[in-house]
């Protein structure tokens, strides 16, 4: 019986709650979990959400969650700027931590998180849930067995349109203090896929753009935007593979696009998160007259799809990815192999983002390993 | 606090369990539910599943679930031939019933279920979950507002390939006692969509086919197949609309296809369950130079998508449809409007299936209203 | 050097002219053709089109084309009701005939055409150009080699929206004298594909519908429509395969849809004329983990694509299909194997259409072989 | 009556021949053309092709074509390294020139071509046929009317797989003397689209890669490859728009991909040459509940589709694009507005390619206007 604490109850907080609620029913072999303590910004909200999500206790102070002796794992879904303090406190209190991405706006804070994780000996996982889909897992398996030969080129795009409206007012995501823009919001997801499927990024050359350099303020004036909705990056992986990583959070029409194009010596793979129950595979081992991309629907052949639905092609949903991630967190705690971006890997993702930003500022290729972000 | 009993823990049993587990976390305003009692074919299995799914009690006899005074609603997911007995017992015990489709292999049994439901005054709902997707709901809204004008023609196809392998052995679904074949397995789903979106079927003309008239037996012999994997039906709705309903459970490559094509005087709508987070809409009110099918991704604009994910285009999964259905069952119990196929509507769906079978046997159009199945 | 006569210069007349103009440049090994004589409804139009299309002579009377001693082949693209008279005259004058589909509104006229063709010993081909695409040819090759095993079920849909506007006025295609409606306009094309790929239709059961039972007249009144825009047919082929053929010329949003779904014991094939440079193939010989529809782009692997473009995936156009058909007509004249619907096959297609209409009128299955249309 | 000379009769030579053969039949209002003189590498081949394509005269020396007094326009489709000499000779002989892209491997040669064109006062057009499709034209019209607001970001990809096989032997396209690789082969096409739709490129930052750094030789040895199959470029247009241009001629599975993604303040447009009869449009003026990409099939609404086929959605082919280009060449000669990449624009495209190559060599952003290629 594992005791769960949850800090935050918004988009991702609810997503964690649903994962904890259903993980054992889905997987059967997962340990029993108890929803112990939910923390929110104030007691009233904490009470409401605890009732909705089924947590036994509620607090308006997140420290009560971290300090609760019945809590074994803390899910952290509060705004990014609180991640470091919360995660470090939880790890120091001897809890396992499952924290939403990215780690922290300041690289130094992320470094402290990674250090705390290492010191604690506890599981410290990040919520990069896109790496968990059965399709992405199967892509990993295909690459490992050489189904498309040696990979030589890679393209990733991540696009949504939540910043695309030029008439929407200036808000905190337009301030430099929130980060770089598309790099923080989006590029980290593609980087988690690269980390999972291909290894580390060696060098980057990035360009960033502001579709709308100023926006109206709530007060009726105009204010200069300080973050970049568009970030386009040329990159080289440590294994020599070349590629591009393109991100745009002002891309009208794109809602949850995360497209992968992977080219190898014997075929290619195409995947788009907007249709994440499908993957496309082209292999030269097919007869030339019938070569073409196969659209492969997720099925029980692709783990862990079958734990959700025994029938192929019926489809998982976004929230199911978090439930899979939850199972991986538990597996890691049990000492088993697990597919997770932990704090150490997450730190390298953030280092890469800072290297991208530097390459844009300085108009040159930047070596990720040598990047030592001061305050990024 | 609503007490839940669950009979059966296979594909659909697990699906119900997940729905009960998450319905309140997803919807917030749903009543609190308590997982009271799980019934399975034997005590050992019941115990295992109760632990996995989080039910407090377990029994090897389903009657214990029905009789449990703490149970308010009984989810019935046992094999079809047990539905009638279980549902009637539950209703007579004063429970609400949420029973998987179809009602019963024998029409007379389905009639008894409908009668028991009416006599009980309790909610008696069927698990036709495809009517619950945000896309189908939005199609309903579009039709209601006349977005494509007056509907004049309709095509539905439902195809999977779980019976497509000619080398798979004979089993109980090949016996006539299991029903007609594709008609029972599949046609009822399209009929639930017709019922929800368009109204009732008036006349039918059906053809059925056996792709593999005999199959090997486990004992090494051959045996004649008695059910039809393919059923193709011409139909007329009571409102005069013409259409076709085509079903094939031996359709290699199709995994969960349920395609709708709806033609109206001002546009058309196309939908496929294999990509149920999308719907396609063509309207003549678009400028002629830019007319084309729009691919509309499910989003918080399409209820109740936003209760699951606040971000558009991120996608629901098959199991989420059951959670929506679960919310509707609770809403109906609360006396609110709900989108459900209840036992009365379900009976008409089954009457239509029997009329289809008769039209095939007799090679003629059959009037559904006049169909009085004897033993079908 | 082969002399060409062309009767008619509208949609299909231009299409024939382009085919004759380019056939030798495309195929290289085709005989040299000379554009000799173009006939139209009047001399002025004939002169204009002859100049545009590059014909040496022009006449306002089609008989001049048929009688021209320099003409070896007559392309007939005049309205359907003139086909019989023109084709028979041309055949009797010792010309080869390439006539647009369908043969004739009256079955007796089509019979006379077939008889004249047989008596003449000349090539008498019909313009069923959809059978000519590299995709359809490759489907034929795949079926022949058993790539999807034994075919057991078939669905064809043909839909356009040129009759979909309820506000368009009554015109001759709404009169019964023009034929049945969708059956003549559309169903003949699917039947040409069935003839080419699978063989003959044995039995049919058809339903027809009028989306708009009356229409405004040019004079400001209303008039009852006499033809059916929708025709849906259950069918059985002579080889026992079951299937459906669905046609709708009032299908908003569909522009040139002609979808084939072919199900076999080892796979399936899906094709849509709106993307006729692609075909989809699912085979169970692929590893289960990677089974899925392959989207195969037309390429030089698929004859005669390479005669048009040596690069794969660059795409043929609608007019190219007529050029391929033209090459087949010439090949047949040269005494070589050719893929063509000749007058004898065309007659069976029309017999099937009349059987469909009868099955609708009489509400019963009709045996195509026994159909003896009186005046249809 | 316009006299045509054709130099070269391979892939593009045949394509030009087909365009000349059919341009008047397609467009009606085009001037009459006479196929006068075909030049090839030797007399025998020239004779054969002249017969196939319908040219009156044939020569084994291209100068005979250029000098032929009956020739008004010279189509040049010989290998790139001959373009300059041929085009300049033709222009100096007072002929109009329609030359395949790109202009010349050496920038200085391209400069001489542009100078000769200007001095001649004749039409000097390049064969960038992808700008001619009805879809691309319609995209231009949509952008001009502001259908997607102000464009702020642009992505273009061009991919094929003709160099993707690692086991194919070394040949001349792997030698540095042939150019840079994907930049020359592919990037020029996207640049022609940028030129046509958006204007000129201001700055570029390119990375190039060799998927297979060495290849076997025909003699049985191994040889280092000198050209780059992959080229990825960050770019800024003169109007401030940011974008990327990604090219890969070793992209297994891609056959004729040329994908455009255009993002604006009020919508977006997506296009792929592999399905060039379709374009996708997303506009925020649609009701939020129904926003989605519309798939718009080419139709007579999109000029000049209707000149080929009066029925929408029936599809043009690759060769038809060259026929449209041919009509534009004739229109320009007639002194009318025409959509063409002339030698002056083509020179800027080649300057941009050289700037890309320099930015790769020097690892920095390069200003296109300041690029003065020495020997590129």
């Amino acid at each position: 019986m594992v005791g769960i604490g949850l800090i935050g109850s918004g988009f991702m907080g609810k997503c964690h709650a649903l994962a904890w609620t259903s993980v054992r029913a889905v997987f059967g072999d997962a340990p029993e979990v108890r929803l112990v303590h939910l923390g929110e910004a104030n007691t009233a909200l904490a009470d409401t959400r605890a009732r909705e999500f089924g947590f036994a206790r509620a607090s308006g102070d997140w420290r009560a969650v971290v300090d609760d002796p019945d809590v074994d794992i803390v899910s952290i879904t509060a705004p990014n700027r609180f991640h470091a303090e919360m995660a470090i406190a939880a790890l120091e209190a001897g809890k396992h931590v499952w924290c939403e991405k990215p780690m922290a706006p300041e690289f130094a804070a992320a470094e402290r998180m990674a250090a705390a994780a290492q010191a604690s000996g506890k599981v410290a996982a990040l919520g990069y849930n896109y790496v968990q889909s059965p399709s992405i897992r199967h892509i990993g398996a295909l690459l490992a067995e050489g189904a498309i030969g040696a990979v030589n080129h890679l393209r990733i795009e991540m696009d949504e349109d939540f910043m695309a409206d030029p008439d929407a007012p200036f808000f905190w995501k337009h301030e430099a203090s929130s980060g770089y823009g598309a790099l923080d919001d989006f590029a980290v997801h593609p980087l988690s896929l690269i980390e999972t499927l291909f290894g580390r990024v060696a060098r980057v050359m990035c360009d960033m753009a502001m579709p709308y350099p100023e926006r109206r303020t709530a007060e009726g004036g105009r204010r200069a935007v300080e973050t970049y909705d568009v970030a386009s990056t040329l990159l080289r992986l440590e294994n020599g593979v070349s590629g591009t990583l393109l991100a745009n959070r002002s891309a009208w029409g794109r809602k949850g696009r995360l497209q992968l194009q992977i080219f190898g010596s014997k075929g290619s793979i195409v995947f788009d998160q907007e249709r994440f129950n499908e993957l496309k595979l082209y292999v030269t081992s097919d007869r030339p007259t019938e070569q073409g991309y196969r659209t492969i629907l997720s099925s029980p052949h692709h783990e862990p799809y079958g734990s959700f639905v025994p029938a192929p092609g019926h489809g998982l949903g976004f929230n199911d990815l978090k439930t899979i991630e939850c199972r991986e967190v538990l597996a890691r705690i049990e000492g088993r192999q697990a597919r997770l971006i932990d704090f150490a890997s997450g730190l390298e993702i953030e280092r890469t983002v800072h290297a991208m930003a530097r390459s844009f500022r300085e108009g040159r290729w930047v070596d990720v390993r040598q990047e030592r972000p001061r305050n990024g």
Side-chain angles (χ1 to χ4, degrees), chain A:
Chain A
M1 180 77 92
V2 181
I4 307 303
L6 171 65
I7 304 176
S9 66
F11 179 176
M12 277 299 137
K14 184 171 180 173
C15 197
H16 277 239
L18 284 166
W20 286 122
T21 300
S22 56
V23 65
R24 188 165 148 88
V26 169
F27 288 98
D29 64 348
E32 210 168 328
V33 303
R34 199 153 48 105
L35 306 185
V36 173
H37 206 144
L38 183 149
E40 248 299 350
N42 61 67
T43 311
L45 181 57
D47 281 345
T48 302
R49 290 285 180 264
R51 264 199 311 278
E52 287 175 15
F53 296 169
F55 278 80
R57 295 196 273 278
S59 296
D61 179 358
W62 62 268
R63 291 186 186 277
V65 177
V66 166
D67 294 339
D68 191 322
D70 294 336
V71 165
D72 301 298
I73 309 175
V74 181
S75 274
I76 300 175
T77 71
N80 301 345
R81 66 185 183 281
F82 300 121
H83 286 179
E85 188 179 11
M86 292 170 174
I88 293 167
L91 289 163
E92 288 177 353
K95 317 296 192 193
H96 302 289
V97 169
W98 181 23
C99 180
E100 271 312 301
K101 44 64 51 184
M103 296 174 83
E106 305 256 321
F107 188 76
E111 284 180 313
R112 287 196 304 275
M113 290 170 76
Q118 184 161 18
S120 73
K122 294 290 169 182
V123 170
L126 291 164
Y128 283 105
N129 41 298
Y130 291 128
V131 308
Q132 302 293 349
S133 73
S135 294
I136 293 293
R137 287 197 184 196
H138 194 59
I139 290 172
L142 288 168
L143 296 176
E145 75 174 34
I148 62 165
V151 171
N152 56 57
H153 193 60
L154 177 66
R155 291 189 193 144
I156 312 191
E157 293 167 86
M158 182 159 181
D159 304 310
E160 297 190 13
D161 62 5
F162 66 86
M163 299 289 264
D165 185 355
D167 299 327
F170 189 101
F171 77 117
W172 67 266
K173 268 186 180 279
H174 299 115
E175 290 184 49
S177 65
S178 74
Y180 304 116
L183 277 189
D184 314 76
D185 266 8
F186 281 4
V188 293
H189 277 299
L191 288 170
S192 75
L193 291 172
I194 291 175
E195 172 84 15
T196 304
L197 295 174
F198 307 102
R200 214 139 278 181
V201 177
R203 299 192 305 127
V204 292
M205 171 70 218
C206 176
D207 187 27
M208 312 211 305
M210 283 181 192
Y212 314 116
E214 64 173 36
R215 287 181 175 271
R216 70 179 173 85
T217 60
E219 297 77 29
R222 305 288 295 174
R223 184 166 163 191
V225 170
E226 299 162 4
T227 53
Y228 298 86
D229 294 342
V230 176
S232 308
T233 303
L234 309 174
L235 55 81
R236 295 296 182 116
L237 304 189
E238 294 195 344
N239 62 14
V241 167
S242 67
T244 54
L245 189 167
L246 313 179
N248 185 357
R249 61 185 192 181
S250 284
W252 274 126
R254 303 305 193 184
K255 306 302 178 181
R257 192 167 190 253
L258 206 179
Q259 196 198 44
L260 266 171
Q261 297 180 71
I262 309 168
F263 297 104
S265 57
K266 294 180 180 171
S268 63
I269 292 172
V270 176
F271 168 82
D272 185 347
Q273 179 66 26
E274 276 185 6
R275 288 179 174 166
F276 75 89
N277 289 291
E278 303 176 11
L279 76 86
K280 292 186 194 296
L281 172 68
Y282 182 100
V283 286
T284 58
S285 52
D286 284 341
R287 194 168 63 166
T289 39
E290 283 86 40
Q291 284 181 15
Y293 280 102
R294 301 179 201 177
T295 300
I296 304 167
L297 297 182
S298 291
S299 81
H301 289 297
H302 311 111
E303 288 201 351
Y305 177 97
S307 296
F308 292 85
V309 195
H314 283 50
L316 301 192
F318 175 82
N319 288 337
D320 295 330
L321 302 184
K322 193 56 81 179
T323 304
I324 299 173
E325 193 176 74
C326 182
R327 182 70 194 92
E328 295 298 295
V329 169
L330 290 169
R332 178 71 60 89
I333 290 171
E334 294 162 19
R336 292 198 278 139
Q337 274 282 20
R339 166 179 296 239
L340 282 173
I341 303 289
D342 60 18
F343 281 19
S345 293
L347 188 66
E348 295 313 308
I349 289 174
E350 309 217 355
R351 189 189 307 280
T352 309
V353 162
H354 290 292
M356 287 172 172
R358 179 185 304 278
S359 79
F360 166 64
R361 283 196 310 271
E362 304 183 3
R364 62 171 182 88
W365 283 89
V366 167
D367 186 325
V368 176
R369 289 267 163 170
Q370 291 176 357
E371 175 66 12
R372 294 284 172 273
R374 274 170 317 177
N375 68 348

